[in-house]
C-alpha cells in the first residue's frame, strides 16, 4: 500500500500517460486550482484518495473511464462532467461521496456511450434523472431523491441489466414502462414510499429477472399473480408492504429461488408446503402475516436441504414443531468443518465476466433485536417460530442442528421438558424458550453452550436448581424469572411449591399462643441447667465419666 501525497504537477510531466490508477492506497491526491491531468489519459481511477472536489477534467478529451468513488467530495455535480471526453464517457463512478445535487441543465440521457453510471450513497436530492439510454448498470440508491419514477423510464433502460433506486424517498407508483427493460436482471426499488399495485407485467418479467426487491414500501392489493413456467428468480423480497391474499402456487415454478421474503404483510394462507420442490431455497421469511394451520413436510425428508434461515414468527401457525422438516434442513446439520469448506455468502451474479453481483440482504431478529445481515453467510443459521400457537414437546431432533446460531420458540404453548439434546448445539448464540409451559429441570447440558450470549427461559413451569456453570450464572435473573420452582444463582430465592403459604386451619387467628411459647422457654432453661455443668465442670465431668464406665462394665459383664 502506497502512502503520502501525490502532487498533480508531477503527473502532468508524464506526457504519454494514458492510464492512472491510484485507488485504495493511503494516498492524498492534491488537485487544487486549475491543474489538470495529461490530455491523453483515458482511464482515471482515484477512489479513496481523500479528494474534496472533483478535479478539473474539462479538457480531458480522451477520458472514457472515471472513478472518484469513496472520497469526500461535496456540493453539486457540475454539468460539464457529462461532457467529459467530448461526450464519450463510458464509465462514471461518483458513489460514496457527499454530493447533494446535479447542476442544471444536465444531459445524462444524451450519453449514448455510457455503460455504467454509479451515483449511489450520496445525498442527491430532487428529481430522478433519466438514465443514459445504453447503460448496463444504473445505481441511484442510498440518496435523497423525492420525486416519482418517470413514467417513461422504461424507454431509457432497454439495455440495463442492473437498476437500483433503493433507499430514497421516492413516491408514486411503479410505472409499467419498466417492463420494457427486456435485459433487466436486477430491479431494486426497496425502502421508498411507493404505493399502488405491483404491475402484472413485472411478475412476467421473472423469466429474465434474477432479483426483484420491492421491500419497505406501501404496495397494496393481493398477490394473485402467476409466475411463468421458466421463472428465473433468485431473490423475491416483498417484505414490509400491505400485500394481502395468498401465496401464489405458481411460485413453485421458480426453481432457482434462494431468498423468499414475504414478511410483514397481510397475507392470509396456510403454510406453503408446496414450495418443497424449490430445493435451492436458503432464506424463508414469512413473519408477521396471518399464516395458519400446521406445518407439514414430505415423508422422504428432503425438503429444503439448503435452508439456513427460517422465520415464521408472529403468525397463527399451530400443531407440533415439525420434526420431519427439521431433520431435512441439511445446511443446519452439517458439521463445522464441512460448513467452513462450503463457506460463501448468498448473492446473485448478474455480470459474471465483470465479476459484478447483487448482494442479498435480510433482516432477522437475533439476540432480542432486529439486525440487517448485509451479507447472508452460509454458516449463519437461525430458526424463529416465536409468537405462534405451537404446542406439545420440543422435538429431540432439534439437537441435530449443530450449526444453529439462533433458536427462538418463545410465546407458544410448548410443554414438557427442555430437551437435553439442545446442549449439542455448540454454535448456538441465542436461545429463547420463554412464555411457554415447559416443565421439569433445566438440563445440565445447557452449560456446554459456551457461545451463548442471549438466554431467555422465563415464564415457564421450570423447577429445581439452575445448573451451576460459569455460562448460565452469567445471565441476569430476568432470564429465569416467572418459574416459581427454580432456585440457585443468579436467582436469590428458591421459589418452590413448599414456599407457598398453606391454607389456614378453621378458626385459626393471628394471635400469639403464649402457652406454647412458655413451654419452649421452660424446656430451654431446664435443658441448659442440666447440660451446662456437664460441659464446663471438670469434677462433674469426671464423676459422669466414671458413672458411664460402671454402667458399661455391668451391662456387658459375664
Amino acid at each position: 500500500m502506497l502512502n503520502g501525497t501525490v502532487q498533480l504537477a508531477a503527473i502532468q510531466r508524464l506526457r504519454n500517460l494514458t492510464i492512472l490508477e491510484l485507488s485504495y492506497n493511503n494516498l492524498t491526491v492534491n488537485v487544487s486550482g486549475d491543474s489538470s491531468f495529461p490530455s491523453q489519459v483515458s482511464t482515471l481511477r482515484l477512489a479513496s484518495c481523500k479528494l474534496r472536489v472533483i478535479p478539473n477534467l474539462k479538457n480531458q478529451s480522451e477520458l472514457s473511464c472515471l472513478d472518484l468513488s469513496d472520497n469526500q467530495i461535496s456540493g453539486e455535480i457540475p454539468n460539464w462532467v457529462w461532457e467529459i471526453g467530448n461526450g464519450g464517457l463510458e464509465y462514471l463512478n461518483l458513489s460514496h461521496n457527499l454530493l447533494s445535487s446535479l447542476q442544471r441543465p444536465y444531459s445524462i440521457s444524451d450519453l449514448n456511450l455510457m455503460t455504467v453510471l454509479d451515483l449511489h450513497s450520496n445525498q442527491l436530492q430532487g428529481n430522478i434523472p433519466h438514465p443514459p439510454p445504453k447503460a448496463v448498470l444504473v445505481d441511484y440508491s442510498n440518496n435523497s431523491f423525492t420525486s416519482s419514477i418517470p413514467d417513461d423510464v422504461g424507454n431509457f433502460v432497454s439495455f440495463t441489466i442492473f437498476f437500483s433506486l433503493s433507499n430514497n424517498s421516492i413516491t408514486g407508483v411503479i410505472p409499467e414502462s419498466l417492463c420494457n427493460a427486456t435485459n433487466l436482471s436486477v430491479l431494486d426499488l426497496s425502502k421508498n414510499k411507493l404505493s399502488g399495485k405491483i404491475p402484472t407485467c413485472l411478475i412476467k418479467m421473472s423469466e429474465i429477472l434474477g432479483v426483484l426487491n420491492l421491500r419497505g414500501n406501501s404496495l397494496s392489493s393481493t398477490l394473485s399473480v402467476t409466475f411463468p413456467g421458466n421463472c428465473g428468480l433468485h431473490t423475491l423480497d416483498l417484505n414490509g408492504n400491505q400485500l394481502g391474499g395468498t401465496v401464489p402456487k405458481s411460485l413453485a415454478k421458480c426453481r432457482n429461488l434462494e431468498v423468499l421474503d414475504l414478511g410483514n404483510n397481510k397475507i392470509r394462507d396456510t403454510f406453503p408446503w408446496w414450495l418443497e420442490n424449490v430445493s435451492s431455497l436458503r432464506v424463508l421469511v414469512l413473519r408477521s402475516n396471518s399464516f395458519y394451520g400446521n406445518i407439514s413436510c414430505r415423508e422422504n425428508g428432503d425438503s429444503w436441504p439448503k435452508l439456513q434461515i427460517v422465520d415464521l414468527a408472529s403468525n397463527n401457525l399451530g400443531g407440533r414443531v415439525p420434526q420431519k422438516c427439521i431433520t431435512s434442513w441439511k445446511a443446519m446439520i452439517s458439521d463445522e468443518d464441512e460448513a467452513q469448506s462450503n463457506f460463501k455468502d448468498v448473492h446473485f451474479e448478474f455480470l459474471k465476466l465483470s465479476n459484478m453481483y447483487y448482494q442479498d440482504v435480510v433482516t432477522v431478529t437475533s439476540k432480542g433485536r432486529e439486525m440487517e445481515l448485509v451479507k447472508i453467510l452460509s454458516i449463519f443459521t437461525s430458526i424463529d417460530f416465536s409468537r405462534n400457537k405451537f404446542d406439545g414437546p420440543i422435538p429431540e431432533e432439534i439437537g441435530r442442528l449443530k450449526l444453529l446460531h439462533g433458536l427462538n420458540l418463545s410465546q407458544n404453548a410448548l410443554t414438557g421438558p427442555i430437551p437435553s439434546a439442545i446442549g449439542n448445539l455448540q454454535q448456538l448464540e441465542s436461545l429463547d424458550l420463554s412464555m411457554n409451559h415447559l416443565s421439569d429441570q433445566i438440563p445440565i447440558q445447557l452449560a456446554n453452550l459456551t457461545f451463548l450470549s442471549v438466554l431467555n427461559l422465563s415464564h415457564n413451569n421450570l423447577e429445581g436448581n439452575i445448573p451451576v456453570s460459569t455460562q448460565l450464572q452469567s445471565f441476569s435473573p430476568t432470564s429465569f424469572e416467572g418459574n416459581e420452582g427454580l432456585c440457585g444463582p443468579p436467582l436469590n430465592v428458591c421459589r418452590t411449591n413448599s414456599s407457598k403459604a398453606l391454607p389456614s386451619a378453621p378458626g385459626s387467628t393471628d394471635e400469639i399462643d403464649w402457652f406454647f411459647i412458655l413451654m419452649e422457654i421452660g424446656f430451654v432453661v431446664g435443658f441448659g441447667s442440666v447440660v451446662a455443668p456437664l460441659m464446663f465442670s471438670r469434677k462433674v465431668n469426671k464423676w459422669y465419666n466414671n458413672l458411664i464406665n460402671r454402667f458399661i462394665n455391668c451391662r456387658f459383664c459375664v
Side-chain angles (χ1 to χ4, degrees), residues 259-418:
V259 178
L260 176 60
D261 193 342
L262 304 178
N264 296 287
N265 279 288
K266 298 180 179 180
I267 301 169
R268 178 173 173 77
D269 200 356
T270 57
F271 183 76
W273 56 267
W274 35 264
L275 284 173
E276 290 175 327
N277 292 328
V278 184
S279 59
S280 57
L281 198 63
R282 291 182 177 273
V283 177
L284 176 63
V285 179
L286 304 177
R287 74 178 292 125
S288 298
N289 280 284
S290 296
F291 286 95
Y292 60 92
N294 298 348
I295 297 177
S296 59
C297 291
R298 61 177 61 167
E299 292 292 332
N300 58 7
D302 60 351
S303 303
W304 302 320
K306 297 182 180 180
L307 193 64
Q308 59 183 86
I309 296 175
V310 53
D311 187 350
L312 310 180
S314 301
N315 282 286
N316 295 312
L317 295 166
R320 300 298 177 91
V321 176
Q323 61 184 47
K324 289 181 180 177
C325 297
I326 289 173
T327 54
S328 68
W329 298 339
K330 302 293 192 298
M332 303 185 190
I333 296 176
S334 305
D335 59 40
E336 187 176 4
D337 292 337
E338 183 179 350
Q340 291 290 348
S341 64
N342 296 324
F343 180 82
K344 64 175 184 177
D345 59 335
V346 181
H347 64 266
F348 173 72
E349 288 189 69
F350 59 90
L351 278 177
K352 293 184 178 180
L353 295 179
S354 300
N355 196 29
M356 289 186 174
Y357 58 88
Y358 176 85
Q359 187 67 64
D360 284 292
V361 176
V362 67
T363 299
V364 299
T365 301
S366 179
K367 302 182 180 180
R369 63 181 184 274
E370 281 193 354
M371 65 179 185
E372 189 175 72
L373 297 181
V374 179
K375 283 192 175 183
I376 308 172
L377 300 178
S378 58
I379 60 172
F380 179 84
T381 61
S382 70
I383 295 175
D384 192 344
F385 287 178
S386 63
R387 295 184 295 282
N388 278 286
K389 298 178 180 179
F390 292 108
D391 56 26
I394 300 173
E396 286 280 346
E397 287 80 1
I398 212 160
R400 297 177 58 186
L401 307 181
K402 296 181 179 179
L403 292 182
L404 200 60
H405 285 246
L407 176 61
N408 191 344
L409 302 178
S410 65
Q411 300 185 50
N412 281 284
L414 300 172
T415 57
I418 299 173

Side-chain angles (χ1 to χ4, degrees), residues 86-381:
N86 295 323
L89 201 60
E90 298 176 14
Y91 178 100
L92 176 61
N93 189 347
L94 300 177
S95 66
H96 291 284
N97 279 286
L98 304 171
L99 298 163
S100 58
S101 61
L102 286 79
Q103 183 184 15
R104 292 179 177 275
Y106 53 82
S107 54
I108 300 176
S109 58
D110 294 336
L111 300 174
N112 291 320
L113 297 180
M114 183 168 286
T115 57
V116 173
L117 176 58
D118 192 348
L119 303 179
H120 85 273
S121 298
N122 279 283
Q123 301 169 8
L124 296 171
Q125 304 174 10
N127 295 332
I128 300 169
H130 284 89
K134 295 184 180 179
V136 173
L137 183 148
V138 179
D139 194 346
Y140 294 161
S141 64
N142 298 305
N143 279 288
S144 300
F145 290 117
T146 54
S147 69
S148 59
I149 303 174
D151 289 337
D152 61 346
V153 68
N155 300 331
F156 296 86
V157 290
S158 56
F159 290 90
T160 305
I161 295 175
F162 179 101
F163 186 40
S164 178
L165 297 173
S166 74
N167 201 19
N168 281 279
S169 297
I170 300 170
T171 59
V173 299
I174 301 175
E176 293 201 7
S177 69
L178 272 175
C179 299
N180 297 332
T182 54
N183 292 296
L184 204 59
S185 287
V186 176
L187 177 61
D188 190 348
L189 306 179
S190 63
K191 298 182 181 178
N192 282 289
K193 299 177 181 179
L194 296 169
S195 57
K197 300 180 179 180
I198 300 175
T200 303
C201 62
L202 209 57
I203 301 300
K204 293 180 179 178
M205 280 183 64
S206 59
E207 293 181 350
I208 59 170
L209 274 175
V211 174
L212 178 58
N213 191 345
L214 305 177
R215 76 178 288 133
N217 283 286
S218 298
L219 300 170
S220 56
S221 76
T222 65
L223 274 177
S224 56
V225 294
T226 303
F227 289 85
N230 55 346
C231 172
L233 278 177
H234 158 100
T235 297
L236 177 61
D237 192 344
L238 305 178
N239 191 307
N241 284 283
Q242 300 173 24
L243 300 170
T246 59
V247 181
K249 288 185 169 55
S250 57
L251 189 59
K253 299 175 182 177
C254 303
R255 298 298 183 89
N256 298 319
L257 196 63
E258 292 193 31
V259 178
L260 176 60
D261 193 342
L262 304 178
N264 296 287
N265 279 288
K266 298 180 179 180
I267 301 169
R268 178 173 173 77
D269 200 356
T270 57
F271 183 76
W273 56 267
W274 35 264
L275 284 173
E276 290 175 327
N277 292 328
V278 184
S279 59
S280 57
L281 198 63
R282 291 182 177 273
V283 177
L284 176 63
V285 179
L286 304 177
R287 74 178 292 125
S288 298
N289 280 284
S290 296
F291 286 95
Y292 60 92
N294 298 348
I295 297 177
S296 59
C297 291
R298 61 177 61 167
E299 292 292 332
N300 58 7
D302 60 351
S303 303
W304 302 320
K306 297 182 180 180
L307 193 64
Q308 59 183 86
I309 296 175
V310 53
D311 187 350
L312 310 180
S314 301
N315 282 286
N316 295 312
L317 295 166
R320 300 298 177 91
V321 176
Q323 61 184 47
K324 289 181 180 177
C325 297
I326 289 173
T327 54
S328 68
W329 298 339
K330 302 293 192 298
M332 303 185 190
I333 296 176
S334 305
D335 59 40
E336 187 176 4
D337 292 337
E338 183 179 350
Q340 291 290 348
S341 64
N342 296 324
F343 180 82
K344 64 175 184 177
D345 59 335
V346 181
H347 64 266
F348 173 72
E349 288 189 69
F350 59 90
L351 278 177
K352 293 184 178 180
L353 295 179
S354 300
N355 196 29
M356 289 186 174
Y357 58 88
Y358 176 85
Q359 187 67 64
D360 284 292
V361 176
V362 67
T363 299
V364 299
T365 301
S366 179
K367 302 182 180 180
R369 63 181 184 274
E370 281 193 354
M371 65 179 185
E372 189 175 72
L373 297 181
V374 179
K375 283 192 175 183
I376 308 172
L377 300 178
S378 58
I379 60 172
F380 179 84
T381 61

Side-chain angles (χ1 to χ4, degrees), residues 455-477:
L455 175 66
N456 194 348
L457 304 179
S458 64
H459 301 288
N460 280 286
N461 299 318
L462 300 171
E463 59 186 11
N465 293 322
I466 297 173
V468 177
S469 72
T470 305
Q471 191 68 18
L472 295 181
Q473 271 64 50
S474 66
F475 297 107
S476 69

Side-chain angles (χ1 to χ4, degrees), residues 528-547:
S529 62
V530 173
V531 173
L534 297 177
M535 294 176 61
F536 301 106
S537 173
R538 292 184 180 180
K539 183 180 292 187
V540 173
N541 277 341
K542 184 176 181 180
W543 170 82
Y544 181 76
N545 289 334
N546 291 336
L547 181 64

